[in-house]
């Protein structure tokens, strides 16, 4: 037989189900007893049209659930040989981790309530405690998602918590993303009135040896008389007079610390003061779980929004289309390993007819890499117009970015290529390499040459000089630039694509257009290296010297045996 407290609590939790997880009203909550009898239900159970329930040897099972809905079931063992089943239904697009956290939260509360039903002799006090807990959690679940500011959310939360757990002073500590300081909101009972305040608190004052530091480090609630704890000077808990309760606020499977709830000097009964106990701890933990879900979900959504903005910025910095150059056919493509990355490429053309091509790779493929890529791309845009050649340009770029790259523990590889005006059908070029993968030159006759040479990566030293190498491209020649994501892509056996296979592929595809060669690369990698085995950004740029146009009888210079050689000066 299920106790009255557990029944009452189950009914109250069902009422708040539609507000707790997302505030959108798409979740339905049901609680069944050990015989499969429905005890309570609430939320959007009307969306589960045609659903059925069966209690079998493997526990409670569900059938005929609509295809656009999912179900999560949690069994609860309570004293006296009793058992409850918690069933949550929601849209299939809902985050399963958040839904699972909610189901487990409900199960934990009911489990604790079942324990009270079994052990408590004072039913009246017990039911009043249940009612306050249900009321507090329901009010918070319904109204917190609608709060527009952090201060508004904190004031509502502390006021609701104070109704269920009266205390002389209640605090909410919320960390800032930077981890340097935290927001501290407090609600204090003062001569019959309440005073709400907001301030900041430096994180370094959260001493690991204090009850607050221990609670947050070990993710556990701490409570008891103040004189039983060693509280360092400057700690927030110094403000307590008699007793205190500290409950950490965490989010996600990794228990990311978001802050803490702190209650000081319990006033559970009017005109009396007593120490906090296990019931108060459990209620505060329920509120902390709700706050963790709300704050963590909002934080995750904000991070995803930032990633989307960064991705949009990156996409706008990449060439929308390849330029239409008279002597060169060019194409490029980029694919990111994550939402944002550190690869980029670009095409530039100066007023004197000089053409520049750049491909680069910032270490890593996260938000820091993306921002470094944006900085580097912006600097290149300016330097191309003012620098004499690729060597001078990369030296200036390195000096400009060194401090920012060092501060974020990043580095940048760049291959910069400059083309001069066509000379008798041949296209002269110069290049400089700052630690980037050497491009592959494939002559029309099948001769291959890796463009070696250059200097160290940018970010290694504050001031570097980069030498230049010059050469010529002839009609039908192909120059292939790429980032290490191409050669380091792995097949199902963990074998990298490598330079040998890359050379073989480009050589066999040299009759294709530049755009076709780029697409051929991605098709080959997709076939040989499944998407799950590609762990880095991939960028490819292909250049091909156009063949002599029909009717053009001008003399065409033919390639000799010379190889690109080091030089200085303008092409």
């Amino acid at each position: 037989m299920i106790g009255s407290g557990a029944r009452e609590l189950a009914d109250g939790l069902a009422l708040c189900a539609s507000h707790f997880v997302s505030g959108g009203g798409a979740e339905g909550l049901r609680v069944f007893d050990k015989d499969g009898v429905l005890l309570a239900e609430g939320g959007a159970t009307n969306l589960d049209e045609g659903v059925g329930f069966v209690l079998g040897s493997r526990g409670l099972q569900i059938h005929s659930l609509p295809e656009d809905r999912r179900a999560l079931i949690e069994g609860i063992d309570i004293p006296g040989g009793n058992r409850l089943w918690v069933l949550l239904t929601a849209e299939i697009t809902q985050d399963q981790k958040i839904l699972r956290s909610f189901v487990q939260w409900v199960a934990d509360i009911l489990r604790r309530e079942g324990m009270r039903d079994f052990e408590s002799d004072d039913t009246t006090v017990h039911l009043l405690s249940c009612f306050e807990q249900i009321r507090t959690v329901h009010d918070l679940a319904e109204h917190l998602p609608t709060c527009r500011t952090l201060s508004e959310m904190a004031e509502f939360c502390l006021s609701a918590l104070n109704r269920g757990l009266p205390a002389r002073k209640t605090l909410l500590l919320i960390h800032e993303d930077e981890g340097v300081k935290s927001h501290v909101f407090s609600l204090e009972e003062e001569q019959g009135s309440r005073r709400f305040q907001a301030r900041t608190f430096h994180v370094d004052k959260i001493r690991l040896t204090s009850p607050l530091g221990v609670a947050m480090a070990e993710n556990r609630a701490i409570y008891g008389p103040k004189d039983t704890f060693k509280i360092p000077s400057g700690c927030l808990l110094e403000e307590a007079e008699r007793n205190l309760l500290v409950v950490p606020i965490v989010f996600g499977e990794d228990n990311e610390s978001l802050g803490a709830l702190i209650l000081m000097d319990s006033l559970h009964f009017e005109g009396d003061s007593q120490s906090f106990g296990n019931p108060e701890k459990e209620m505060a933990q329920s509120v902390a779980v709700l706050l963790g879900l709300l704050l963590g979900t909002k934080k995750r959504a904000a991070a995803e929004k930032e990633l989307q903005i960064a991705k949009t910025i990156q996409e706008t910095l990449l060439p929308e289309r390849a330029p239409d150059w008279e002597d060169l056919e060019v194409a490029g493509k980029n694919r990111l390993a994550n939402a944002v990355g550190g690869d980029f490429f670009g095409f530039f053309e100066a007023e004197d007819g000089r053409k520049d091509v750049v491909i680069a790779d910032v270490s890593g493929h996260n938000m820091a890499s993306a921002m470094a890529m944006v900085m580097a791309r912006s600097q290149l845009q300016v330097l191309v117009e003012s620098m004499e050649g690729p060597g001078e340009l990369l030296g200036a770029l390195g000096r400009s970015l060194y401090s920012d790259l060092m501060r974020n523990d990043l580095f940048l590889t760049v291959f910069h290529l400059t083309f001069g005006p066509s000379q008798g059908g041949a296209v002269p070029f110069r290049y400089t390499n700052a630690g980037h993968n050497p491009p592959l030159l494939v002559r029309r006759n099948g001769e291959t040459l890796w463009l070696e040479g250059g200097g160290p990566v940018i970010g290694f030293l504050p001031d570097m000089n980069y030498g230049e190498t010059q050469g010529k491209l002839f009609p039908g020649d192909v120059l292939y630039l790429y980032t290490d994501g191409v050669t380091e892509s792995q097949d199902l056996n963990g074998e990298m694509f490598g330079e040998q296979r890359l050379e073989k592929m480009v050589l066999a595809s040299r009759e294709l257009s530049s755009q076709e060669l780029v697409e051929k690369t991605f098709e080959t990698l997709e076939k040989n290296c499944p998407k799950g085995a590609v762990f880095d950004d991939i960028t490819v740029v292909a250049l091909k010297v156009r063949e002599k146009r029909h009717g053009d009888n001008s003399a065409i210079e033919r390639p000799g045996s010379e190889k690109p050689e080091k030089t200085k000066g303008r092409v």
Side-chain angles (χ1 to χ4, degrees):
M1 183 72 179
I2 302 300
S4 58
R7 284 178 174 271
E8 186 77 10
L9 186 57
D11 197 55
L13 290 170
L15 287 175
C16 75
S18 62
H19 304 285
F20 183 75
V21 178
S22 66
E27 300 80 23
L29 180 70
R30 297 175 176 85
V31 180
F32 299 81
D33 67 12
K34 66 177 182 178
D35 298 317
V37 177
L38 182 65
L39 297 178
E41 66 176 336
T45 54
N46 60 300
L47 299 178
D48 303 327
E49 185 176 355
V51 71
F53 313 97
V54 176
L55 187 63
S57 59
R58 293 191 298 172
L60 184 70
Q61 299 178 38
I62 186 170
H63 62 84
S64 304
L65 188 68
E67 293 183 357
D68 60 347
R69 305 278 288 170
R70 73 164 73 209
L72 289 89
I73 301 174
E74 183 80 6
I76 312 164
D77 290 316
I78 56 179
N82 287 315
R83 187 171 178 82
L84 293 177
W85 299 94
V86 178
L87 169 65
L88 180 70
T89 55
E91 293 178 350
I92 200 164
T93 55
Q94 282 284 78
D95 189 323
Q96 187 167 1
K97 291 182 180 179
I98 294 178
L99 295 174
R100 175 59 66 186
S101 296
F102 175 67
V103 170
Q104 292 174 348
W105 173 74
V106 172
D108 287 342
I109 290 180
L110 290 173
R111 185 181 293 107
R112 293 194 295 267
E113 197 55 36
M115 182 71 74
R116 286 201 195 97
D117 275 337
F118 185 73
E119 296 176 346
S120 176
D121 294 327
D122 191 345
T123 306
T124 302
V125 174
H126 185 56
L127 289 176
L128 284 173
S129 175
C130 291
F131 175 76
E132 289 297 341
Q133 182 167 349
I134 294 168
R135 179 187 175 193
T136 299
V137 174
H138 181 274
D139 287 350
L140 289 172
E142 184 173 15
H143 295 291
L144 280 183
T146 67
C147 294
R148 292 170 294 180
T149 65
L150 188 61
S151 179
E152 180 184 351
M153 184 200 74
E155 185 171 9
F156 183 85
C157 176
L158 294 178
S159 298
L161 183 60
N162 196 262
R163 287 198 303 268
L165 293 178
R168 183 185 63 82
K169 194 168 189 176
T170 310
L171 293 88
L172 174 60
L173 176 74
I174 300 177
H175 298 321
E176 281 192 347
D177 289 342
E178 292 80 3
V180 177
K181 59 183 179 180
S182 299
H183 296 284
V184 178
F185 303 95
S186 62
L187 187 68
E188 186 170 8
E189 292 281 351
E190 198 172 67
Q191 297 180 348
S193 63
R194 292 179 176 178
R195 184 172 55 138
F196 177 76
Q197 288 184 318
R199 54 191 163 119
T200 57
F201 184 81
H202 285 278
V203 174
D204 59 4
K205 290 186 178 180
I206 303 177
R207 309 291 172 78
L208 290 177
T209 56
S210 74
L212 177 58
V214 172
M216 297 178 72
E218 299 181 4
N219 186 27
R220 64 182 178 92
I222 291 180
Y223 59 96
K226 180 183 178 181
D227 57 15
T228 61
F229 300 106
K230 183 178 181 180
I231 300 176
S233 175
C235 178
L236 278 174
L237 304 185
E238 276 190 313
E239 300 173 19
E241 295 177 359
R242 295 177 298 278
N243 48 66
L244 55 88
L245 166 63
V246 181
V247 178
I249 300 172
V250 299
F251 176 69
E253 293 181 351
D254 297 331
N255 290 325
E256 177 188 359
S257 178
L258 302 179
L261 275 172
I262 305 170
L263 285 79
M264 300 178 178
D265 307 323
S266 173
L267 299 170
H268 199 71
F269 299 103
E270 188 175 354
D272 188 22
S273 176
Q274 64 180 30
S275 180
F276 295 105
N278 197 59
E280 289 80 16
K281 179 202 75 171
E282 290 177 350
M283 182 174 177
Q285 284 178 320
S286 298
V287 175
V289 168
L290 193 154
L291 282 170
L293 283 171
L294 179 65
L295 293 170
T297 302
K298 285 188 173 182
K299 183 178 179 181
R300 179 179 293 175
E304 289 175 354
K305 184 177 180 180
E306 288 181 0
L307 281 175
Q308 185 58 47
I309 292 172
K311 182 179 180 181
T312 301
I313 293 172
Q314 280 194 294
E315 289 174 347
T316 60
L317 291 176
L318 292 172
E320 185 175 352
R321 63 180 62 88
D324 184 18
W325 288 341
E326 182 179 359
D327 301 306
L328 289 168
E329 184 185 290
V330 298
K333 186 175 180 179
N334 166 262
R335 188 179 79 186
L336 302 177
N338 293 332
V340 292
D343 282 12
F344 68 94
F345 67 97
F347 308 112
F348 309 92
E349 186 168 10
E351 293 181 359
D352 62 1
R354 191 185 77 194
K355 303 173 180 67
D356 289 79
V357 177
V358 65
I359 186 169
D361 183 2
V362 181
S363 56
H365 32 82
N366 50 29
M367 181 66 80
S369 303
M371 293 302 98
M373 178 277 240
V374 171
M375 287 191 300
R377 176 63 174 77
S378 302
Q379 288 287 325
L380 274 169
Q381 181 74 51
V382 175
L383 294 173
V384 163
E385 298 294 333
S386 58
M387 296 291 103
E388 178 70 18
E392 184 182 359
L393 186 149
L394 289 193
L397 183 66
R399 289 187 291 274
S400 174
L401 296 178
Y402 175 76
S403 59
D404 289 323
L405 292 173
M406 283 293 293
R407 184 165 52 249
N408 292 284
D409 197 24
L410 298 171
F411 62 85
L412 170 69
T413 70
V414 185
F415 183 88
H416 193 104
L417 186 66
T418 296
F419 293 101
S422 176
Q423 301 171 357
V427 180
F429 68 88
R430 287 185 295 148
Y431 70 85
T432 299
N433 193 341
H436 197 78
N437 300 78
L440 176 64
L441 171 59
V442 179
R443 299 291 188 188
R444 183 179 181 181
N445 63 6
E447 179 188 356
T448 61
L449 179 68
W450 296 94
L451 301 189
E452 305 282 359
V457 298
I458 290 175
F460 179 66
L461 293 171
D463 191 6
M464 281 295 302
N465 294 318
Y466 291 90
E468 297 178 1
T469 303
Q470 69 174 6
K472 289 182 180 180
L473 296 179
F474 302 93
D477 287 353
V478 173
L479 190 52
Y480 184 91
L481 288 63
Y482 61 98
T483 56
D484 58 9
V486 175
T487 50
E488 293 179 4
S489 295
Q490 298 178 14
D491 62 19
L492 293 177
N493 296 318
E495 184 180 349
M496 291 186 179
F497 189 68
E499 292 182 349
Q500 268 191 325
R501 278 199 278 183
L502 174 66
E503 182 177 6
K504 184 178 179 181
M505 180 198 70
V506 177
L507 181 61
S509 307
R510 67 184 184 278
E511 298 298 332
L512 300 178
S513 68
S514 294
Q515 185 62 49
E516 290 171 337
L517 177 55
V518 168
E519 296 299 337
K520 175 73 173 178
T521 301
F522 283 87
E523 290 172 8
T524 302
L525 292 179
E526 191 69 30
K527 180 180 178 181
N528 292 280
C529 307
K531 191 174 183 180
V534 177
F535 304 107
D536 201 357
D537 305 331
I538 294 175
T539 303
V540 175
V541 174
L543 306 103
K544 187 173 185 178
V545 181
R546 298 183 189 276
E547 300 284 356
K548 179 182 176 183
R549 289 181 172 83
H550 181 69
D552 183 359
N553 296 315
S554 58
I556 298 178
E557 184 179 351
R558 298 296 180 185
S561 60
E562 76 280 356
K563 295 182 179 180
E565 54 187 35
K566 294 183 179 180
T567 184
K568 288 291 288 184
R570 181 177 289 276
V571 170

